[in-house]
Amino acid sequence: MAIVHITLEQVEEEGITKINVEARRNDRYCFYESFTTEEKPVDVHLFTDKEISEEQAYKSVSVEVLTRLLEEIIGGKKIFAKKPNEIEEAIRFSLDLPIIKAFERIANIEFDYSKFKTLREFQVYYRNLMNK
């Protein structure tokens, strides 16, 4: 599963908007970029219920918002870009075994540690365990 997070930050003292884009695939960090623009790309509260309810994809609010953001990114200034190296990746997604073991003790359950090696695998394992 791929997830792209886009966040906007108003930097009031500088009069700019910072656009942050972070991508993940299967809970693994892929990249992070930041851009600045002097425009406020999106005022989401200005969209009406009619526009939000529009059934035609090309008239959707999502298309309008993403188009405006893309225009601002293209015309803006890229201020930061990062792709994780293997060490950062391992640190970011390593299991915190002492916390998991404490949770196991508090919840009075036993985990089969051979069933997971990453945080994502633990989440899936735990979800399946709770559904039984």
Side-chain angles (χ1 to χ4, degrees):
M1 174 170 65
I3 297 173
V4 176
H5 290 279
I6 300 172
T7 56
L8 304 176
E9 294 177 45
Q10 294 296 315
V11 184
E12 299 297 331
E13 62 274 1
E14 298 176 25
I16 62 169
T17 299
K18 189 171 161 188
I19 303 168
N20 303 309
V21 181
E22 179 183 42
R24 294 175 178 272
R25 178 178 292 279
N26 297 327
D27 283 340
R28 295 182 63 89
Y29 172 62
C30 298
F31 72 87
Y32 178 87
E33 292 180 318
S34 286
F35 305 86
T36 58
T37 178
E38 292 182 5
E39 302 295 320
K40 186 172 183 181
V42 183
D43 280 323
V44 291
H45 67 281
L46 297 178
F47 293 105
T48 66
D49 287 343
K50 182 179 182 235
E51 292 167 310
I52 293 170
S53 300
E54 178 64 52
E55 292 183 23
Q56 297 175 340
Y58 71 94
K59 289 184 176 181
S60 74
V61 173
S62 295
V63 169
E64 180 67 23
V65 167
L66 292 171
T67 300
R68 289 183 192 179
L69 282 172
L70 186 57
E71 289 170 356
E72 292 305 321
I73 288 172
I74 290 169
K77 180 181 176 187
K78 187 173 184 177
I79 59 169
F80 184 79
K82 182 148 179 68
K83 184 175 190 317
N85 62 34
E86 288 180 26
I87 294 170
E88 289 174 322
E89 191 74 4
I91 291 169
R92 190 172 174 121
F93 293 100
S94 64
L95 284 172
D96 195 339
L97 288 179
I99 291 175
I100 291 175
K101 288 181 181 202
F103 175 69
E104 181 180 39
R105 200 172 48 253
I106 292 167
N108 197 26
I109 55 178
E110 278 189 46
F111 294 136
D112 181 353
Y113 289 86
S114 68
K115 303 280 185 186
F116 55 89
K117 290 184 179 82
T118 66
L119 178 59
R120 177 72 180 139
E121 288 174 358
F122 174 72
Q123 290 169 334
V124 170
Y125 169 77
Y126 182 73
R127 204 172 300 123
N128 290 336
L129 189 66
M130 291 298 103
N131 288 335
K132 289 182 181 181

